Amino acid sequence: MPDPLTDESTCPTATRNGAQALIETASAGGVEVCFANPGTTEMPLVTALDKVPAIRPVLGLFEGVCTGAADGYARIAGKPAMTLLHLGPGFANGIANLHNARRAHSPVLNVVGDHASWHLPYDAPLTSDIQSLATPVSGWVGTVESAAHTSRATVEALAAARTPPGCGATLIVPADFQQETFGEPLTAVPPPPGPGRVVPATVDGIAEKVRRSKHTVVLLGAGGLTERGQRAAQRIARATGATLYSETFPAAAERGGGLPDLDRLPYFPEAAIKALADAETVVLAGALEPVAYFGYSNMPSLLAPPGTVRVLAEPGEDAAQALEELATALGAPLASSDRRPDLPDRSLPTGRLDPAAIGRIVATLLPDNAIVSVEGGTCGYPFFTASAHAARHTTLTNTGGAIGQGLPAALGAAVAAPDRRVIALQSDGSAQYTIQALWTMAREQVSVVTLIASNRRYGILRTELGRHGGSATGSASAALTSLDDPALDWPALAAGYGVPAQRAESGIELIDALTRALVEDGPQLIEMVL
Amino acid sequence: MPDPLTDESTCPTATRNGAQALIETASAGGVEVCFANPGTTEMPLVTALDKVPAIRPVLGLFEGVCTGAADGYARIAGKPAMTLLHLGPGFANGIANLHNARRAHSPVLNVVGDHASWHLPYDAPLTSDIQSLATPVSGWVGTVESAAHTSRATVEALAAARTPPGCGATLIVPADFQQETFGEPLTAVPPPPGPGRVVPATVDGIAEKVRRSKHTVVLLGAGGLTERGQRAAQRIARATGATLYSETFPAAAERGGGLPDLDRLPYFPEAAIKALADAETVVLAGALEPVAYFGYSNMPSLLAPPGTVRVLAEPGEDAAQALEELATALGAPLASSDRRPDLPDRSLPTGRLDPAAIGRIVATLLPDNAIVSVEGGTCGYPFFTASAHAARHTTLTNTGGAIGQGLPAALGAAVAAPDRRVIALQSDGSAQYTIQALWTMAREQVSVVTLIASNRRYGILRTELGRHGGSATGSASAALTSLDDPALDWPALAAGYGVPAQRAESGIELIDALTRALVEDGPQLIEMVL
């Protein structure tokens, strides 16, 4: 009997096992990276990866690193990476970042090994209901039913993941079907569909509504936040006086380098309601209708005035094209040529660090074409405020609110774009959930500079305690919102994972540390003591 | 309007909010500890904890630390701790260790905040299907339907968690019902039921079968692994020639100090089948019928010879009592008085560290009445082999195979038994999944000595690659089973979390380091370089 693991994988009708069929099909479908934390039931897939060098295996020490990296990869590469996770518990460790990926509409191909199909009824210790765990974070869930079925199931999963606006697809592969061999050819992978085209009647109807409105707000998300989308939105704003907002937590937004100085729609509902209060029309271009992040008593869930919302483009439609057509329908002149404005203020804060100072320093030192993965309440908004006049960059934010997203997303973005500098602008609390990402950054030697805003507390929870009429003065509420006692030693943690680190306690120290970090290859970490 | 947060919580008919009702009811039901990683939707519960100092809040930086600690706590305290987790993604981060808790039959009261009930339809970013995520790891899932319902729902959850053999119960509490006030009294908490009593007919039937069998194996689990259960099993063994085994991964097993030198049923199916092959009767006393951990082709799932298995006591029944009755029915004489046997070998290995040397050193230095949380393939069996003649201790193992269990379980055990020394005997790979447990150990100053077997690889996966006919010589399989490049610097990681650490590269260094660690208060870590 031929050893299936040594067959030529390039021969379309070779005998191969199910694991090889899966990996070859994924590769044929354009998958280039596998963020993996495999176990026993994935060993045939690991062995198959040995045979298909076109898919690069990247090990994470924790599954949330893998899924968050696949999300970040998809946002930058515009295509799915594969994750390889171990049964229900391994998948479960990846759910939080798959939740974020779902909200980002990131295409991800999750592959989960399961027990051999004949072993499942015996309820061995690791047996678990993977379907129930996967459904809340997957647009598609399927189970391989035989070795020969593996290739087709992989094609279906990829097709689901790449159907606009994109989703996570989870393919469960029993171990026996990974190992068994078959002789049929692989299923062909169709090219991924492009985004849906917005119909002219929609554009014309919205143009008419905008013309009749005293004030219009255009809320940009997804393709509306590409350079093309923002330029078209700017034409609309200039022609009609409309106000432009970015959705509050975009998956990926171009920024700086002469792009419009968009505000993000505010996080807290009072402020968001105020921002939208005067609008007679709220045009959604790739963004969803704005809703309150959390429900607060005496505060509505929907933030736009009733009856004002018009959908120009759903997240899966071509928002940039639709915005251009809307601009034309509104008679907006083409924009003048792109000129990068001067920075309004080149004098940098050198004294005590605070979030505003950090935002200005990072924005000013940002290299051209950087990617900034922003997570956490401390520095997110201050950086956004400062970054409109920075060099051109792409901002990734935490779309779903499951914290522990920023470091893995930065890792995935760096794998997707090795020629771009990546900065992970992080809060200390949120960085802890997937701190193991530092090790993979060191192993893969990606050029990610991690900036930890170290205020030694869950700042957002202190704010929320106040909104609930409480405070952090009780012993439980103080203990459960504080990260002190002991303070985390970030340079020591970074050293533990093989990442060179510095500590900055003032503006001048941060300027110095970041300047040095940005010229090094490989990962760096800077603790910014607040 | 009175402020519900300042009302006297001791008055049974006081106006209180739903959060207070939950916390007061849990406290009345004997819950003393809350392992928490809360978010915005749990803030009223956090504020309520301020008012009920009988429940001790313990913060984890990652939810898997909280759920694993609740599991370890339950195994030692014999009663549930509460976890407090944030919506679906926060709960998801705790699933892996709830999977282990489910396999350990540990009672756990999971409390998960959700969006305000009226906010759920708007699908805000953190909205998620908590029910679908919770069901696979919960024996009971319920959702609070009003503030007034909170107390009764808490009683139901506690009752489910404590119904033998015990399970995780997950209570979802929308934020509005936490905040709203009501005036009805709290629901009374009934006392927890004891384990089921095995009926005499079952005992007599099994006694008859054992008498007729040439060879009997008694497989002990749950209550069969208490001192009482083991002494009764030893009487049976002496009277009948039966062989005793512990289940492979017990939730908690007494060991050493003169208890029988039980083997654990082997992990790999070939060895387990061999161990059971001669048995005409396999008596289950608190253990489940043995099944292969994973399915391997040409290897059965069921390990005992067909038709041999007899259930003396289910995990929820009083296995110790049943074993005593079986011993009596078999006419086994009462055991002679307990005498601790001399250690067979007091000379300790001083040279190069290997798993056997580590097992002998740890077993020999073990203080009386210690708790040993064992996880990972490297040192688990070698320690078990050496520990039969150690001082009396309790061993906790990873019951469900979701790795990242050992450190949190050690933390929870130490919280449950502050007067006992806890040793976490860990592998480097598995320790990484919930490494944040070190910080909580430092914060709570629990006396846990963490021993990291640092071999810089996923050793079990290398073994499994071999079983699948592969090896780790391919680039993917080498990369995905190696923890080198860079090697983790464990003392640096420990320092980052505030835990004093040492590194041992030889037997003499380990003896020295462990001796010193065991006399210190608070947590310690020793990297054992293999």
Side-chain angles (χ1 to χ4, degrees), chain A residues 36-41 43-44 46-47 49-50 57 59-63 86-87 89 92-93 95-96 99 102-103 115 118-119 122-127 129 132-133 136 179 291-297 299 301-302 399-402 432-433 435-436 439 442-443 458 461 464-465 468 474-477 479-480 482-486 488-489 492-493 495-497, chain B residues 36-41 43-44 46-47 49-50 57 59-63 86-87 89 92-93 95-96 99 102-103 115 118-119 122-127 129 132-133 136 179 291-297 299 301-302 399-402 432-433 435-436 439 442-443 458 461 464-465 468 474-477 479-480 482-486 488-489 492-493 495-497:
Chain A
N37 187 268
T40 296
T41 49
M43 285 303 106
V46 168
T47 309
L49 283 167
D50 284 336
L59 178 62
L61 297 180
F62 172 71
E63 294 87 347
H86 185 43
L87 295 146
N93 279 335
I95 286 174
H99 171 89
R102 177 170 82 93
R103 295 292 182 186
H115 281 301
W118 47 264
H119 192 53
Y122 298 97
D123 196 31
L126 271 164
T127 308
D129 185 346
S132 187
L133 296 172
Q179 290 174 276
V291 302
Y293 207 86
F294 291 110
Y296 299 96
S297 41
M299 195 69 63
S301 295
L302 294 176
T399 48
Q432 272 300 317
Y433 292 74
I435 185 65
Q436 307 90 341
W439 181 81
R443 180 179 248 207
Y458 291 125
L461 297 189
E464 294 283 359
L465 276 173
H468 283 90
S475 62
S477 50
L480 295 180
S482 156
L483 300 176
D484 245 326
D485 188 23
L488 293 158
D489 182 339
L493 291 174
Y497 288 118
Chain B
N37 187 267
T40 296
T41 50
M43 284 303 106
V46 168
T47 309
L49 284 167
D50 283 336
L59 178 63
L61 297 180
F62 172 70
E63 294 86 348
H86 187 42
L87 294 148
N93 279 335
I95 286 174
H99 172 89
R102 178 170 82 92
R103 296 292 181 186
H115 281 303
W118 46 265
H119 192 54
Y122 297 96
D123 197 32
L126 271 164
T127 308
D129 187 345
S132 187
L133 296 171
Q179 291 174 274
V291 302
Y293 207 85
F294 291 110
Y296 299 97
S297 41
M299 194 69 62
S301 295
L302 294 176
T399 48
Q432 272 300 318
Y433 291 74
I435 186 64
Q436 306 90 341
W439 182 80
R443 180 179 248 209
Y458 291 124
L461 297 188
E464 294 284 357
L465 277 172
H468 283 91
S475 62
S477 50
L480 295 181
S482 155
L483 300 177
D484 245 326
D485 189 21
L488 293 159
D489 182 339
L493 291 175
Y497 287 118

Side-chain angles (χ1 to χ4, degrees), chain A residues 64-315:
Chain A
V65 173
C66 301
T67 54
D71 180 16
Y73 178 93
R75 296 192 201 183
I76 295 299
K79 66 179 194 174
M82 176 179 154
T83 69
L84 184 58
L85 307 170
H86 185 43
L87 295 146
F91 182 86
N93 279 335
I95 286 174
N97 272 331
L98 290 174
H99 171 89
N100 293 323
R102 177 170 82 93
R103 295 292 182 186
H105 304 294
S106 294
V108 179
L109 174 63
N110 301 305
V111 176
V112 186
D114 199 357
H115 281 301
S117 58
W118 47 264
H119 192 53
L120 273 171
Y122 298 97
D123 196 31
L126 271 164
T127 308
S128 46
D129 185 346
I130 306 173
Q131 176 97 25
S132 187
L133 296 172
T135 299
V137 291
S138 306
W140 183 96
V141 183
T143 301
V144 166
E145 287 162 13
S146 69
H149 176 229
T150 307
S151 180
R152 181 160 52 82
T154 305
V155 170
E156 287 169 12
L158 272 175
R162 300 195 293 192
T163 296
C167 72
T170 300
L171 183 59
I172 302 164
V173 196
D176 50 341
F177 303 144
Q178 295 175 38
Q179 290 174 276
E180 287 168 17
T181 56
F182 66 100
E184 295 105 83
L186 300 179
T187 308
V189 187
R197 182 72 182 258
V198 173
V199 296
T202 300
V203 174
D204 293 342
I206 290 176
E208 181 59 26
K209 182 81 169 66
V210 169
R211 260 185 235 107
R212 291 192 192 168
S213 297
K214 284 209 193 79
H215 185 57
T216 294
V217 166
V218 183
L219 187 60
L220 304 172
L225 289 168
T226 57
E227 169 162 8
R228 208 179 131 208
Q230 291 188 51
R231 295 243 178 265
Q234 194 171 29
R235 288 172 58 201
I236 295 167
R238 285 177 179 155
T240 66
T243 305
L244 307 180
Y245 281 106
S246 160
E247 61 186 349
T248 310
F249 293 105
E254 294 303 293
R255 186 143 177 92
L259 286 178
D261 184 0
L262 290 182
D263 265 353
R264 286 155 72 187
L265 193 68
Y267 173 82
F268 282 114
E270 301 88 333
I273 288 169
K274 195 173 163 196
L276 300 172
D278 294 336
E280 288 182 18
T281 301
V282 175
V283 177
L284 304 179
L288 297 175
E289 174 164 8
V291 302
Y293 207 86
F294 291 110
Y296 299 96
S297 41
N298 306 317
M299 195 69 63
S301 295
L302 294 176
L303 304 175
T308 58
V309 171
R310 292 293 180 278
V311 179
L312 176 67
E314 305 271 5

Side-chain angles (χ1 to χ4, degrees), chain A residues 438-493:
Chain A
L438 292 175
W439 181 81
T440 305
M441 290 181 189
R443 180 179 248 207
E444 302 295 326
Q445 282 296 297
V446 290
S447 293
V448 176
V449 179
T450 297
L451 301 173
I452 302 284
S454 175
N455 64 5
R456 295 165 305 288
R457 61 177 171 267
Y458 291 125
I460 184 69
L461 297 189
R462 293 280 173 95
T463 305
E464 294 283 359
L465 276 173
R467 290 180 63 92
H468 283 90
S471 66
T473 53
S475 62
S477 50
L480 295 180
T481 58
S482 156
L483 300 176
D484 245 326
D485 188 23
L488 293 158
D489 182 339
W490 285 95
L493 291 174

Side-chain angles (χ1 to χ4, degrees), chain A residues 124-125, chain B residues 75 103 217-222 225 244-253 255 262-273 275-276 284-294 301 303 374-377 380-382 384-385 395-401 460:
Chain B
R75 296 192 201 184
R103 296 292 181 186
V217 166
V218 184
L219 186 60
L220 304 173
L225 289 168
L244 308 180
Y245 281 106
S246 161
E247 60 186 349
T248 309
F249 292 106
R255 187 144 176 93
L262 292 181
D263 265 353
R264 285 155 72 186
L265 193 69
Y267 173 83
F268 282 114
E270 302 88 333
I273 288 168
L276 300 172
L284 304 180
L288 298 176
E289 174 163 10
V291 302
Y293 207 85
F294 291 110
S301 295
L303 304 174
V374 179
E375 184 178 29
Y381 276 90
F384 199 77
T385 301
T395 300
L396 313 180
T397 76
N398 185 325
T399 48
I460 184 68

